[in-house]
């Protein structure tokens, strides 16, 4: 057995075979020829993937390992780690995308031949697409590990005495080095599988699928910029030619720009692995040159001479170790030296320093930056000199942390000081979704872009109560210099507040009457003579018998940036309409149909939802499992009702230190004739209608109470 063979865990084996982990444990106990562990620990052993695949086929546990699962298991089991494997895969996918004949030529023959020829072939492709790519002969940095969050710099030791500009301990380096043949050799089986997958899906979609899986598998290690925010920020930037993202993360902001061959993209991130993955992602996304660097942007700027048309940035929030002690005399602080607690204002000034005169910067900011006293002098100078042009308050749920309504700052590098400057303030809080889904992005986009374009053309706009206002800078230059839009915008005009609340009250009365009608009758106990235990089956047994089909939700979506409705786990828990959206396709989506039963697998709640006609056609989101019963064998309401039993969920759940996960295959339900199933199903359907009415009554009640408080306090309703 080679020491660098790809390994797979018991969970990976279960995923390959389409079974639960309990089945894998049973196979290990019952079959003496089951592959022996080759690594891992006693409680979490690892097995050789090739041996597992052979055993599964030999025992007819699996007709064929799905290609995408085989490739994914090879990637996560790579001896140098999944990030290194993903970088190698991305390099080869770019070669396949740009020069497929070269790949076909060098991939024929032995693995050693491919590994030997690949570096030179990659050099010919990567160098023109990414000019800063390190050539062969430089130290190979292709072995990287996931250690840093997005753009989090390594700790720096402050100098003993301040210098005019402290030299960074680690200068910025090219984001990507061309891996050497010895580094590539363990990856060759993976690379052949990746090429086969690319023949089915395309090179770009294959990389997006693998990267998406990796990000999903490590959610705490990456801060992502959701597509709605990225698209809005790109639109606010206009149509720039040269664009910089100094905290690029996974490249969402630069990918949101329309592809143009004359565009030049610049990216930097403090995490070497993110910088490398983003460079490859952007190169697969666009034909434009990609300049990407790895290094702490504030301490080791890779582009000190750049004067970009636009800067897009989602900086790390609330950093204390951003370089305050090292950078006291840095020339970028044109508007004042940021306090140690004002790392975001350091990023603002870095963005302005990298713009040409008249260039635009759009930054995603925590709302506290608009009002913290420690930053008021810098905010005042940004206003006086006309650098800060707009502050946009986004709805809660727009981006992580989702409970906080973040801000967008739109800045311009002043080419002249305006005579009577004004600043645009926009508040889109009204577009927060009432359920637990995302904001109303079409409404947010229309409001923000409409106000910005009108303000950018005329320097001011007519007031839009509750939404937007252009404020003279002189009004903001008080002791606080508070830029929070909600504090400066008049409330929306409500000429008929009492009439609106009367309508809410009428709907609440109707809903309460409906709730009373739907209230279940008194519970009747089962006579002792008839309370014998019913014969039970499990979801797994029903799936194997063909009585239902089981599918798992993922990141699949339709191509492009079309907004496809996605049924999320939050929608299922809250009983709301599909609220999610997905960006570019990464894997084949699972579409819901009327009569499907959908369950969330995380969180421990005993919830199951039957898909109705209105929800049918939505994409199944991640952390959801879909059961599609055969109508001749199973009534969907009977199935959903029994799957909601608390004891049923308890026995089918596993518990980690911070989460509960449901093994849907272990859920039980009784074996009943179709007529008896329908009798139970009607009762469960009535309970569901009662539950929906209760939710609607609660929502309307909250709306009525909130409206009454607002009306009494703002004087639109008489006491």
């Amino acid at each position: 057995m080679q020491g660098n063979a790809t390994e797979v865990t018991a969970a990976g084996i279960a995923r390959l075979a389409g079974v639960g982990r309990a089945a894998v444990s049973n196979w290990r106990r019952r079959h003496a020829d089951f592959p022996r562990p080759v690594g891992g620990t006693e409680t979490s052993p690892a097995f050789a993937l090739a041996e597992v695949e052979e055993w599964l086929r030999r025992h007819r546990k699996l007709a064929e390992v799905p290609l995408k699962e085989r490739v994914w298991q090879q990637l996560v089991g790579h001896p140098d780690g999944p990030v290194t494997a993903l970088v190698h895969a991305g390099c080869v996918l770019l070669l396949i995308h740009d020069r497929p004949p070269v790949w076909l030529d060098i991939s024929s023959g032995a693995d050693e031949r491919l590994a030997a020829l690949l570096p030179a072939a990659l050099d010919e492709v990567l160098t023109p697409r990414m000019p800063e790519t390190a050539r062969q002969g430089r130290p190979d940095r292709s072995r990287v590990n996931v250690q840093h969050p997005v753009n989090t710099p390594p700790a720096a030791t402050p100098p003993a005495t301040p210098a005019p500009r402290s030299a960074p301990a680690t200068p910025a380096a090219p984001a990507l080095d061309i891996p050497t043949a010895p580094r590539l050799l363990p990856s060759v089986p993976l690379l052949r599988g990746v090429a086969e997958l690319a023949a089915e899906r395309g090179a770009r979609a294959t990389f997006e699928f693998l990267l998406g899986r990796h990000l999903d598998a490590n959610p705490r290690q990456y801060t992502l910029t959701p597509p709605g925010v990225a698209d809005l920020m790109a639109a606010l930037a206009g149509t720039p030619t040269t664009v910089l993202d100094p905290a690029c993360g996974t490249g969402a902001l630069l990918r949101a720009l329309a592809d143009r061959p004359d565009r030049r993209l610049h990216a930097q991130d403090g995490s070497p692995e993110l910088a490398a993955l983003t460079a490859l992602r952007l190169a697969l996304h666009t034909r434009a040159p990609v300049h990407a660097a790895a290094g702490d942007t504030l301490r080791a700027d890779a582009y000190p001479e750049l004067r970009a048309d636009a800067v897009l940035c989602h900086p790390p929030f609330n950093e204390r170790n951003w370089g305050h002690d090292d950078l006291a005399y840095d020339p970028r602080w044109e508007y004042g030296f940021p306090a140690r607690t004002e790392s975001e204002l350091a990023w603002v000034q870095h963005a302005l320093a990298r713009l040409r005169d008249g260039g635009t910067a759009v930054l995603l900011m925590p709302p506290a930056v608009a009002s913290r006293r420690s930053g008021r002098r810098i905010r005042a100078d940004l206003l006086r000199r006309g650098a800060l042009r707009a502050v946009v308050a986004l709805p809660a749920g727009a981006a992580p942390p989702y409970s906080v309504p973040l801000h967008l700052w739109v800045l311009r590098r002043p080419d002249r000081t305006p005579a009577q400057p004004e600043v645009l303030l926009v508040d889109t809080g009204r577009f927060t979704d009432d359920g637990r889904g995302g904001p109303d992005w079409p409404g947010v986009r229309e409001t923000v872009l409409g106000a910005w374009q009108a303000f950018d053309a005329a320097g001011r706009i007519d007031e839009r109560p509750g939404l937007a206002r252009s404020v003279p800078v002189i009004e903001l230059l008080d002791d606080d210099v508070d830029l929070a839009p909600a504090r400066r915008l008049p409330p929306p005009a409500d000429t008929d507040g009492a009439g609106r609340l009367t309508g809410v009250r009428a709907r609440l009365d109707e809903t309460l009457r409906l709730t009373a009608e739907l209230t279940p009758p008194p519970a009747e106990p089962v006579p002792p003579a008839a309370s014998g235990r019913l014969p039970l089956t499990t979801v797994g047994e029903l799936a194997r018998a063909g009585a239902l089909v089981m599918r798992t939700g993922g990141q699949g979506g339709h191509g492009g940036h079309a907004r496809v409705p996605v049924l999320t786990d939050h929608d299922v828990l809250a009983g709301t309409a599909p609220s999610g959206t997905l960006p570019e396709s990464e894997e084949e989506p699972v579409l819901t149909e009327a009569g499907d039963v959908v369950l969330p697998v995380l969180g421990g709640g005993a919830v199951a939802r039957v898909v109705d006609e209105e929800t049918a056609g939505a994409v199944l989101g991640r952390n959801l499992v879909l059961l599609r019963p055969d109508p001749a064998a199973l009534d969907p309401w009977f199935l959903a009702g029994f799957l909601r039993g608390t004891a049923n969920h308890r026995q089918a759940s596993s518990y980690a230190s911070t989460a509960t996960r449901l093994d849907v295959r272990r859920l039980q339900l009784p074996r009943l004739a179709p007529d008896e199933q329908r009798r139970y199903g009607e009762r469960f359907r009535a309970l569901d209608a009662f539950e929906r009415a209760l939710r609607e009554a609660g929502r309307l009640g909250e709306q009525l109470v909130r409206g009454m408080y607002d009306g009494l306090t703002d004087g639109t309703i008489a006491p």
Side-chain angles (χ1 to χ4, degrees):
M1 186 66 175
Q2 292 183 356
N4 61 2
T6 300
E7 298 176 1
V8 62
T9 64
I13 297 173
R15 187 165 187 167
L16 286 171
V19 299
R21 292 186 62 174
V24 178
S25 299
N26 288 334
W27 293 343
R28 292 184 64 195
R29 288 194 300 266
R30 292 167 50 196
H31 297 275
D33 62 339
F34 192 87
R36 300 295 180 188
V38 296
T41 64
E42 184 176 347
T43 57
S44 181
F47 306 84
L49 178 61
E51 293 181 3
V52 168
E53 290 178 347
E54 180 185 355
W55 188 89
L56 290 172
R57 289 194 178 94
R58 189 168 66 247
H59 287 263
R60 303 195 179 200
K61 304 292 185 185
L62 186 66
E64 182 180 358
V65 178
L67 176 60
K68 67 178 185 179
E69 296 300 333
R70 175 161 55 88
V71 170
W72 172 246
Q73 294 299 339
Q74 288 176 320
L75 188 145
V76 297
H78 193 282
D80 288 336
V83 176
T84 295
L86 194 52
V87 169
H88 291 178
C91 290
V92 165
L93 287 168
L94 187 59
L95 173 64
I96 294 171
H97 183 270
D98 285 6
R99 302 186 183 183
V102 174
W103 167 257
L104 292 175
D105 179 43
I106 67 174
S107 62
S108 60
D111 289 355
E112 291 75 9
R113 175 180 181 271
L114 174 57
L117 296 177
L118 195 51
L122 293 178
D123 195 350
E124 294 180 2
V125 172
L126 293 173
T127 301
R129 299 294 302 279
M130 290 177 272
E132 285 84 9
T133 301
R135 306 293 205 280
Q136 295 182 71
R138 294 187 59 167
D140 183 11
R141 298 185 301 109
S142 64
R143 186 194 296 266
V144 291
N145 297 304
V146 179
Q147 295 176 340
H148 308 294
V150 173
N151 211 78
T152 299
T157 302
T161 57
R165 185 170 183 177
S166 301
T170 304
L176 193 67
D177 296 345
I178 297 174
T180 61
R183 286 279 185 260
L184 286 167
L185 185 57
S187 301
V188 168
L190 165 68
L191 300 181
R192 294 190 187 278
V194 165
E196 189 179 350
L197 191 59
E200 294 182 0
R201 293 168 165 258
R204 180 188 303 173
T206 297
F207 189 73
E208 289 295 322
F209 160 69
L210 296 174
L211 178 61
R213 277 277 185 94
H214 175 67
L215 296 177
D216 284 344
N218 302 276
R220 296 186 179 181
Q221 293 169 340
Y222 303 101
T223 299
L224 305 182
T225 307
V229 176
D231 290 345
L232 179 58
M233 293 175 67
L236 287 168
T239 56
T241 299
T242 304
V243 189
L244 167 68
D245 185 347
C248 62
T250 58
L253 295 178
L254 294 179
R255 285 184 73 247
L257 294 163
D259 185 16
R260 281 173 35 192
D262 63 334
R263 180 163 281 150
R264 295 184 296 278
L265 303 179
H266 296 75
Q268 183 171 351
D269 200 273
S271 168
E273 59 271 11
L274 277 176
L277 294 175
T278 294
L280 291 165
R281 192 182 196 191
L282 293 174
L284 283 163
H285 176 71
T286 178
R287 297 298 303 181
V290 176
H291 305 265
D296 177 0
T297 299
L298 295 180
R299 289 189 179 92
D301 182 14
Y303 311 105
E305 307 302 323
L306 179 66
R307 295 299 176 264
D309 300 317
V311 174
L312 299 173
C313 185
H314 177 179
F317 296 163
N318 303 317
E319 275 197 328
R320 294 301 181 97
N321 185 28
W322 58 267
H324 178 271
D325 296 333
D326 301 342
L327 304 172
Y329 300 95
D330 196 288
R332 288 172 290 184
W333 315 142
E334 295 182 50
Y335 302 88
F337 181 42
R340 190 183 302 276
T341 57
E342 295 288 353
S343 62
E344 295 87 0
L345 292 179
W347 286 97
V348 164
Q349 295 190 75
H350 173 80
L352 286 167
R354 294 297 159 262
L355 286 173
R356 63 166 175 80
D357 289 347
T360 302
V362 186
L363 284 83
L364 184 65
M365 306 284 275
V369 185
S371 55
R372 277 195 300 243
R373 289 189 61 80
S374 55
R376 65 189 186 279
R377 292 185 179 179
I378 294 177
R379 293 196 300 271
D381 208 31
L382 290 168
L383 291 172
R384 287 191 195 97
R385 297 170 60 179
L388 181 58
R389 306 300 296 136
V391 176
V392 177
L394 297 173
Y402 289 106
S403 60
V404 178
L406 301 179
H407 288 180
L408 291 180
W409 283 25
V410 184
L411 304 111
R412 282 268 170 80
R413 182 167 181 83
D415 48 8
R416 68 182 188 282
T417 301
Q420 294 181 325
E422 297 195 5
V423 65
L424 175 66
L425 301 180
V426 183
D427 187 355
T428 61
R430 67 170 60 179
F431 297 104
T432 302
D433 188 76
D434 285 338
R436 297 183 64 184
D440 173 15
W441 279 113
V444 172
R445 186 181 176 92
E446 180 182 359
T447 299
V448 174
L449 293 182
W452 168 248
Q453 290 163 2
F455 174 79
D456 195 31
R460 64 174 309 279
I461 63 167
D462 295 331
E463 185 176 294
R464 304 174 185 180
L467 284 177
R469 177 190 175 202
S470 58
V471 183
V473 165
I474 193 66
E475 291 187 19
L476 301 172
L477 296 178
D478 52 20
D479 289 342
D480 295 324
V481 197
D482 191 336
L483 307 180
R487 297 192 180 103
R488 302 287 180 174
L489 293 176
D494 192 353
T495 58
D496 189 25
R500 178 175 53 82
L501 290 180
T502 299
V504 173
R505 173 62 185 269
R507 298 205 311 274
L508 177 59
D509 287 343
E510 182 181 348
T511 304
L512 289 174
R513 284 195 297 272
L514 177 62
T515 304
E517 294 173 4
L518 294 173
T519 301
E524 297 180 6
V526 177
S531 61
R533 185 173 178 83
L534 296 171
L536 299 176
T537 185
T538 65
V539 169
E541 291 171 350
L542 291 170
R544 285 190 290 273
L548 58 82
V549 174
M550 186 166 128
R551 302 292 299 276
T552 302
Q555 285 292 322
H558 296 289
H561 289 275
R563 291 296 175 251
V564 181
V566 177
L567 185 67
T568 68
D569 54 343
H570 296 307
D571 300 329
V572 174
L573 291 168
T576 56
S579 63
T581 55
L582 287 177
E584 189 170 337
S585 175
E586 296 171 0
E587 55 183 293
E588 190 67 25
V590 178
L591 300 180
T592 60
E593 297 180 2
D596 289 344
V597 177
V598 179
L599 301 90
V601 296
L602 294 180
V607 177
R609 175 172 173 179
V610 178
V611 175
D612 56 19
E613 294 292 343
E614 294 182 1
T615 306
V619 173
L620 187 70
R622 59 185 176 180
N623 299 328
L624 290 176
V625 169
L626 177 147
L627 304 177
R628 182 164 294 159
D630 179 355
L634 281 174
D635 179 82
W637 287 101
F638 160 78
L639 174 63
F642 272 97
L643 297 188
R644 288 192 60 169
T646 302
N648 202 1
H649 269 247
R650 189 182 300 118
Q651 64 85 26
S653 296
S654 58
Y655 303 93
S657 58
T658 59
T660 303
R661 186 171 188 89
L662 178 68
D663 184 351
V664 176
R665 291 178 175 272
R666 293 171 56 189
L667 288 171
Q668 299 175 335
L669 63 159
R671 298 178 184 270
L672 295 177
D675 289 344
E676 190 68 7
Q677 288 185 31
R678 284 190 287 272
R679 194 164 72 89
Y680 272 101
E682 288 302 320
R683 188 67 181 270
F684 288 136
R685 187 197 291 262
L687 283 174
D688 180 79
F690 175 63
E691 184 179 33
R692 289 173 181 266
L694 283 176
R695 281 204 188 101
E696 179 67 6
R699 188 184 68 82
L700 290 170
E702 290 179 3
Q703 188 176 343
L704 179 62
V705 170
R706 186 171 60 247
M708 290 294 294
Y709 271 110
D710 290 346
L712 288 168
T713 55
D714 63 23
T716 59
I717 296 176

